[in-house]
Amino acid sequence: MKLKYITFAVATLCTAASLHAEKIVAGPKGGRLLESEPMKAEFFITADRKVEITFYDAALKPVDAGAQVVTVTAEPGSGKVKLDLEKTATGFVSKTALPIGEPYRVVVQTRASADAKPKNFRVDLNLEMCGECQKKEYACICEAH
């Protein structure tokens, strides 16, 4: 009888976890949309492996980043690498390319202003193309992933 209750509890927790799992949304450029406040931010990797963060309004139109502060840290097997960012008209772009050696995690931290509470986003960086949605794996929107 105990096994029946344990099985039910585990099944319920798994179902709840899958319902609350983060659904990945693609941004206008084909990157990964981050639900940052007060604007949405898109994490995008350019052809030359630079990180580009673009801010959007509710209608997904690019907007001035304003007082937003962003940090990006790559975590390849060789050790953490903080990327220096340059401000652009609608966000930020890294001064250097991402390290080689993916897949690995990239942590993006956004703040509405320098003294605001940070919001962290963890992106599993995989630059392979998804065969189903035709987006890079880090921005894949398929349900199975």
Side-chain angles (χ1 to χ4, degrees), residues 73-143:
T73 305
E75 298 179 345
S78 58
K80 293 182 181 183
V81 178
K82 185 174 178 183
L83 299 177
D84 289 328
L85 304 175
E86 292 180 313
K87 195 160 186 174
T88 66
T90 58
F92 297 87
V93 65
S94 63
K95 293 179 181 180
T96 58
L98 284 166
I100 303 290
E102 62 276 341
Y104 57 80
R105 179 159 289 169
V106 175
V107 178
V108 179
Q109 184 181 81
T110 63
R111 296 174 187 256
S113 64
D115 59 344
K117 182 178 177 186
K119 179 140 187 197
N120 294 321
F121 301 93
R122 288 164 181 78
V123 179
D124 291 326
L125 184 67
N126 183 341
L127 299 177
E128 296 294 319
M129 199 64 106
C130 174
E132 292 179 48
C133 69
Q134 299 302 308
K135 298 191 180 317
K136 301 282 184 174
E137 286 288 343
Y138 75 88
C140 176
I141 57 172
C142 297
E143 291 290 326

Side-chain angles (χ1 to χ4, degrees), residues 33-77:
L33 202 60
L34 308 175
E35 293 296 326
S36 132
E37 291 295 330
M39 301 172 266
K40 296 178 188 292
E42 182 177 15
F43 172 83
F44 179 75
I45 307 300
T46 64
D48 57 352
R49 299 179 57 88
K50 291 186 177 181
V51 173
E52 202 172 84
I53 305 290
T54 305
F55 288 95
Y56 298 99
D57 63 14
L60 295 181
K61 301 292 183 206
V63 294
D64 182 357
Q68 292 279 339
V69 177
V70 176
T71 60
V72 177
T73 305
E75 298 179 345

